[in-house]
Amino acid sequence: MDDMDKNYWENMLFQTEELESCFDESFSYYDSSSPDGAQSSAASKNIVSERNRRKKLNERLFALRAVVPNISKMDKASIIKDAIDYIQELHNQERTIQAEISELESKRSIFLDFDQEMSYNSKPKRSRFEQTCDSAGSRSSPIEVHELRVSHMGEKTIVVSLTCSKRTDTMVKICEVFESLDLKIITANITAFSGRLLKTVFLEANEEEKDVVKIKIQTAIAALNDPDSPMSI
Amino acid sequence: MDDMDKNYWENMLFQTEELESCFDESFSYYDSSSPDGAQSSAASKNIVSERNRRKKLNERLFALRAVVPNISKMDKASIIKDAIDYIQELHNQERTIQAEISELESKRSIFLDFDQEMSYNSKPKRSRFEQTCDSAGSRSSPIEVHELRVSHMGEKTIVVSLTCSKRTDTMVKICEVFESLDLKIITANITAFSGRLLKTVFLEANEEEKDVVKIKIQTAIAALNDPDSPMSI
DNA sequence: CTGTACACGTGAGCC
DNA sequence: TGGCTCACGTGTACA
């Protein structure tokens, strides 16, 4: 590669030298054909200008080659092609990494949110859940929760496990309950067995008293069964 | 910009048309000066070849212009210059994002370490970006457990949550660990995010002292990272 | 009228 | 030897 480079510049130099003799030739030639001094001056200006343009373009190309790794050939066209491929590769990487970063951030906010308290959760953004639920008709069939257990795991985590009937959108409705209580879902799990659904949901505990949260959850989920009755475990 | 583009291609087209008449001229000229048919054929071949070369180069340049946003001018030199600037800008972005990702990851790892924690990895964690940069990324066996938390939920249940690299058979190896410790798995859960796997395993606690079990689990899982070192909490 | 930017044909070097 | 890549000078169109 280095020697190719050397050859490249040697060629450049060589042809630059060659240019001068050529230039003399053309100059005398022009002098004979059209003796107008202004015209020949303009022509030589054009020549030197064009020479500078080519030089600048080659320098740019050389600089482009410098910022692009993995240059296969020293070809002008190949340099540009490699640059194009490299830019596209960078674009793909950028997209991937952006997705990864946003995912990391979202997961981190779900995860435990230690010091910085849910900054962008101030408004209960009823986002996708309720939208999909609206289209499906959330009011239609009650969920029929059969068993419900709310327990604490460590200081920061609440585990809710419940069984309910096999309906569609049961998990969505459960999640809506937690959302309405400002409880963040860490992870959730559905298991189907004997015509029932067993759900296990890990929640991030907020600052409230444990028992208060527990009662709130039980009340809200029990309300899914019969919105009129205040509750009955 | 659109009109500039149009002008550009109009020019291209125009000068291409012009070329044909020029070509005819030069052809007849050559025919008169040197009646050697082979020579003129070679010359015309050279002409058309050179024409194709220029065309290819221009197409490449056009493609380069297409993948680079914010092109200031349609100049050839300017196109290359903008491409260079853009690549350098992407390089800066890449460095910034890489730093951001590592910072995020370190925060996240600090985060889980609040309870009883080991999980400090001697190796500098290879971010996903570095892995893509790595030409040969296929590393075989070790699972690379990054975070590990063992806690008790009630009297009968142990919850183990850990994150590890995305490998095949990671859960199998984890389960083998629990089996070797005579711990029964109640349920297990895998969640994939940001190139990692988050596993949550519920174990049935045996009769041993809680802290003893905890240490055993931590030791055995740490051994997955580096089987030689016995580990140090 | 003066640059500027371009495509063209041409000759030369290099496999 | 033919097939490339290249730099060069030149004519032309546009601002």
Side-chain angles (χ1 to χ4, degrees):
Chain A
M1 169 171 162
D2 204 358
D3 53 336
M4 288 183 70
D5 208 347
K6 195 156 156 262
N7 278 341
Y8 180 69
W9 291 114
E10 274 178 0
N11 282 347
M12 290 282 285
L13 239 44
F14 172 68
Q15 299 201 353
T16 298
E17 291 170 10
E18 197 180 38
L19 140 82
E20 309 201 7
S21 59
C22 257
F23 171 63
D24 289 343
E25 276 184 33
S26 72
F27 186 74
S28 59
Y29 168 73
Y30 253 89
D31 219 30
S32 67
S33 71
S34 72
D36 187 356
Q39 191 106 357
S40 77
S41 160
S44 67
K45 285 297 179 189
N46 194 9
I47 288 179
V48 65
S49 175
E50 176 68 11
R51 208 179 300 168
N52 286 331
R53 172 183 166 269
R54 274 196 298 265
K55 184 179 173 185
K56 187 173 70 178
L57 217 151
N58 277 321
E59 285 172 353
R60 292 277 167 82
L61 214 62
F62 185 71
L64 179 63
R65 192 201 65 129
V67 298
V68 174
N70 304 327
I71 322 101
S72 56
K73 289 162 59 183
M74 295 292 292
D75 231 345
K76 279 183 175 179
S78 300
I79 290 177
I80 301 183
K81 180 184 171 61
D82 289 341
I84 295 172
D85 295 344
Y86 183 59
I87 288 182
Q88 284 175 338
E89 180 189 347
L90 284 185
H91 278 168
N92 287 340
Q93 273 195 16
E94 178 189 329
R95 223 183 32 195
T96 306
I97 287 191
Q98 288 286 2
E100 184 176 334
I101 257 198
S102 64
E103 193 181 1
L104 254 181
E105 282 181 340
S106 68
K107 291 299 179 188
R108 189 170 60 91
S109 77
I110 281 180
F111 220 79
L112 263 178
D113 252 358
F114 205 37
D115 31 15
Q116 50 184 11
E117 219 32 83
M118 41 196 95
S119 53
Y120 50 87
N121 198 28
S122 55
K123 296 172 189 170
K125 11 177 15 177
R126 38 190 66 216
S127 54
R128 315 185 194 96
F129 285 98
E130 238 181 5
Q131 286 171 5
T132 57
C133 227
D134 284 343
S135 63
S138 63
R139 193 60 59 158
S140 57
S141 54
I143 282 185
E144 291 184 22
V145 176
H146 295 103
E147 290 115 357
L148 171 64
R149 191 179 67 174
V150 180
S151 54
H152 282 259
M153 172 180 140
E155 287 299 313
K156 300 285 184 183
T157 308
I158 305 169
V159 183
V160 177
S161 75
L162 61 88
T163 61
C164 65
S165 54
K166 254 184 180 169
R167 295 268 157 74
T168 59
D169 295 332
T170 52
M171 186 54 103
V172 173
K173 291 178 181 174
I174 302 290
C175 290
E176 281 178 341
V177 168
F178 296 138
E179 191 175 339
S180 70
L181 294 177
D182 244 2
L183 292 167
K184 286 191 174 178
I185 296 174
I186 299 170
T187 183
N189 190 301
I190 308 180
T191 309
F193 70 102
S194 71
R196 299 271 171 86
L197 295 179
L198 165 62
K199 300 189 201 314
T200 309
V201 184
F202 283 57
L203 299 170
E204 179 181 335
N206 50 20
E207 315 84 337
E208 293 180 271
E209 181 58 36
K210 286 182 179 182
D211 293 326
V212 176
V213 175
K214 193 179 292 187
I215 297 294
K216 279 188 178 178
I217 292 174
Q218 289 172 344
T219 307
I221 289 185
L224 286 178
N225 271 344
D226 184 6
D228 299 333
S229 82
M231 101 155 243
S232 62
I233 293 197
Chain B
M1 173 168 160
D2 201 359
D3 52 335
M4 287 182 70
D5 205 347
K6 196 156 154 262
N7 279 340
Y8 181 70
W9 291 113
E10 275 178 359
N11 284 346
M12 290 284 284
L13 239 46
F14 173 68
Q15 299 200 354
T16 298
E17 290 171 10
E18 198 179 38
L19 139 83
E20 309 200 8
S21 60
C22 258
F23 171 62
D24 288 338
E25 276 183 34
S26 71
F27 186 75
S28 60
Y29 166 72
Y30 252 73
D31 218 28
S32 66
S33 71
S34 70
D36 187 357
Q39 191 107 359
S40 76
S41 163
S44 66
K45 284 297 179 190
N46 193 8
I47 288 179
V48 67
S49 175
E50 176 69 12
R51 209 179 298 168
N52 286 330
R53 171 182 165 272
R54 273 198 297 264
K55 183 179 172 184
K56 188 174 70 177
L57 218 151
N58 277 321
E59 285 172 352
R60 291 277 167 82
L61 214 64
F62 182 71
L64 179 64
R65 192 201 64 131
V67 298
V68 176
N70 304 329
I71 322 100
S72 57
K73 288 162 62 183
M74 295 292 291
D75 235 342
K76 279 184 175 179
S78 300
I79 289 176
I80 301 183
K81 180 184 171 63
D82 289 341
I84 295 172
D85 295 344
Y86 184 57
I87 288 182
Q88 286 175 338
E89 181 188 347
L90 283 186
H91 279 169
N92 286 340
Q93 270 195 17
E94 170 190 313
R95 234 184 17 198
T96 305
I97 286 189
Q98 193 176 346
E100 190 175 339
I101 269 197
S102 64
E103 188 183 2
L104 264 179
E105 283 184 343
S106 67
K107 267 190 183 175
R108 192 167 56 90
S109 100
I110 279 177
F111 200 138
L112 261 182
D113 290 359
F114 79 104
D115 210 352
Q116 53 294 79
E117 208 14 297
M118 43 149 309
S119 93
Y120 218 68
N121 232 349
S122 56
K123 304 172 206 165
K125 310 181 167 191
R126 314 166 55 80
S127 71
R128 214 198 63 68
F129 174 73
E130 282 175 340
Q131 287 179 3
T132 57
C133 271
D134 220 349
S135 55
S138 65
R139 202 143 311 183
S140 55
S141 36
I143 284 186
E144 290 186 19
V145 175
H146 295 106
E147 291 109 359
L148 170 65
R149 193 177 65 174
V150 180
S151 53
H152 283 261
M153 175 179 139
E155 287 298 314
K156 300 286 185 185
T157 308
I158 304 169
V159 182
V160 178
S161 77
L162 61 89
T163 63
C164 65
S165 54
K166 251 183 182 168
R167 296 272 153 73
T168 59
D169 296 333
T170 52
M171 186 53 105
V172 174
K173 292 181 180 174
I174 301 289
C175 291
E176 282 175 346
V177 167
F178 296 135
E179 191 176 340
S180 71
L181 294 178
D182 244 0
L183 292 166
K184 288 188 177 176
I185 297 175
I186 300 171
T187 184
N189 189 301
I190 307 181
T191 308
F193 70 99
S194 73
R196 299 270 170 84
L197 296 178
L198 165 64
K199 300 190 201 313
T200 309
V201 184
F202 283 59
L203 299 169
E204 184 179 331
N206 50 20
E207 315 79 52
E208 294 183 78
E209 179 60 32
K210 286 182 177 180
D211 293 326
V212 177
V213 174
K214 194 178 291 184
I215 297 291
K216 279 189 177 179
I217 293 174
Q218 288 173 344
T219 307
I221 288 186
L224 286 179
N225 269 346
D226 189 356
D228 299 333
S229 82
M231 123 145 233
S232 60
I233 296 197

